[in-house]
Amino acid sequence: MHPVDSNNWLVYAGCGAIVLVIAYFGWRARQKKIAMYRAWAAQYGFHYEPSDNSVVGLSTEEPFNLGHSRKGIDVFRGMYKNSHIVFFQYQYTTGSGKESQTHTNQVVAIGLPTTRPLLDISQENFLTKRFAKDIDFENQQFNDIFRIKSPNRRFAYDVIHARTMEWMLADQRARSYQWRFEGPWLMTFRSGAMKLDEVFFYADFLIDIYGQVPRHVWSNS
């Protein structure tokens, strides 16, 4: 073997060994996290799955309709304050090859009494105010702060009545987070990895939102 070829082989072998070592420690760290999550779920009475792609269909809107290779990772299900709850890390990929990029989101959702149309609540910004259509309400201060999207105006007006608008304007969480009614779920999400120490903060927020909704909304057809 030519000395140059021998040196190249040693470089490739060394790189391969480094890759294998990194992969092993990554796998080992993942196994430790899974064991920790299983223990946490058992302690607090939740069902845990390290991977459950059924949750990628939780919504039809962003970020669930973006990219490819969509995954549900570290999925917890159970009961919290008399509500069905699911929380997990949602992951998708954009681009391909060297241009590919993985995006992660924390998702927390509570179950609704009946399925309902899409109702998406987010905050207005310069671009959405100028170029995006949404549903307007009688309260102009509310319209300036919140962006409300729904194919069903009746549902939007039933949920966001005068008292709810006042609550949303006064609650810093409502003015900061995006949340959504869709199908059998009320959900909120943010970019970044899931953090167990903040999941129930978001769950309490969702329960407070649900508490604002008039009961007749769940019985209307």
Side-chain angles (χ1 to χ4, degrees), residues 13-93:
C15 290
I18 291 171
V19 169
L20 287 175
V21 169
I22 293 173
Y24 169 75
F25 281 106
W27 173 85
R28 186 176 177 182
R30 176 61 179 156
Q31 297 308 305
K32 286 184 177 180
K33 177 174 279 190
I34 289 173
M36 181 190 72
Y37 281 169
R38 286 196 191 282
W40 186 93
Q43 180 180 353
Y44 292 100
F46 289 96
H47 176 75
Y48 167 71
E49 289 292 341
S51 176
D52 179 359
N53 290 340
S54 67
V55 295
V56 304
L58 202 72
S59 176
T60 59
E61 299 291 305
E62 294 185 10
F64 293 88
N65 60 352
L66 301 176
H68 57 88
S69 304
R70 301 163 185 165
K71 298 177 182 178
I73 299 170
D74 296 327
V75 180
F76 294 81
R77 301 177 187 271
M79 295 294 296
Y80 176 69
K81 294 185 177 179
N82 297 318
S83 294
H84 289 283
I85 186 174
V86 56
F87 47 95
F88 58 94
Q89 182 169 299
Y90 172 66
Q91 180 176 299
Y92 66 93
T93 302

Side-chain angles (χ1 to χ4, degrees), residues 26 74 157 173 182 197:
D74 296 327
Y157 290 132
R173 300 169 301 174
E182 187 170 5
D197 59 352

Side-chain angles (χ1 to χ4, degrees), residues 14-216:
C15 290
I18 291 171
V19 169
L20 287 175
V21 169
I22 293 173
Y24 169 75
F25 281 106
W27 173 85
R28 186 176 177 182
R30 176 61 179 156
Q31 297 308 305
K32 286 184 177 180
K33 177 174 279 190
I34 289 173
M36 181 190 72
Y37 281 169
R38 286 196 191 282
W40 186 93
Q43 180 180 353
Y44 292 100
F46 289 96
H47 176 75
Y48 167 71
E49 289 292 341
S51 176
D52 179 359
N53 290 340
S54 67
V55 295
V56 304
L58 202 72
S59 176
T60 59
E61 299 291 305
E62 294 185 10
F64 293 88
N65 60 352
L66 301 176
H68 57 88
S69 304
R70 301 163 185 165
K71 298 177 182 178
I73 299 170
D74 296 327
V75 180
F76 294 81
R77 301 177 187 271
M79 295 294 296
Y80 176 69
K81 294 185 177 179
N82 297 318
S83 294
H84 289 283
I85 186 174
V86 56
F87 47 95
F88 58 94
Q89 182 169 299
Y90 172 66
Q91 180 176 299
Y92 66 93
T93 302
T94 54
S96 60
K98 292 182 179 179
E99 302 299 320
S100 68
Q101 186 175 359
T102 299
H103 307 264
T104 58
N105 293 265
Q106 174 180 276
V107 182
V108 181
I110 62 170
L112 300 174
T114 54
T115 60
R116 282 295 174 259
L118 170 70
L119 173 57
D120 189 78
I121 297 94
S122 59
Q123 290 70 42
E124 289 279 22
N125 57 49
F126 175 78
L127 292 177
T128 59
K129 284 182 179 180
R130 290 180 61 87
F131 302 111
K133 291 183 178 181
D134 66 344
I135 300 174
D136 283 333
F137 293 77
E138 293 181 359
N139 188 324
Q140 190 54 48
Q141 181 189 9
F142 181 87
N143 294 335
D144 289 341
I145 294 174
F146 294 99
R147 183 175 182 227
I148 311 298
K149 296 195 311 175
S150 177
N152 189 316
R153 285 178 174 266
R154 177 186 173 186
F155 179 59
Y157 290 132
D158 280 348
V159 170
I160 305 175
H161 50 84
R163 188 188 68 189
T164 299
M165 281 189 271
E166 291 177 3
W167 175 79
M168 289 169 63
L169 287 168
D171 192 293
Q172 190 58 45
R173 300 169 301 174
R175 296 171 69 113
S176 303
Y177 309 140
Q178 181 174 0
W179 74 93
R180 177 180 301 152
F181 294 84
E182 187 170 5
W185 297 103
L186 168 59
M187 68 194 79
T188 186
F189 40 89
R190 60 143 179 81
S191 61
M194 185 180 68
K195 297 180 180 179
L196 287 180
D197 59 352
E198 65 179 41
V199 161
F200 297 117
F201 173 83
Y202 288 100
D204 287 336
F205 171 54
L206 295 175
I207 290 170
D208 287 346
I209 296 169
Y210 176 77
Q212 298 293 322
V213 181
R215 290 187 178 182
H216 71 81

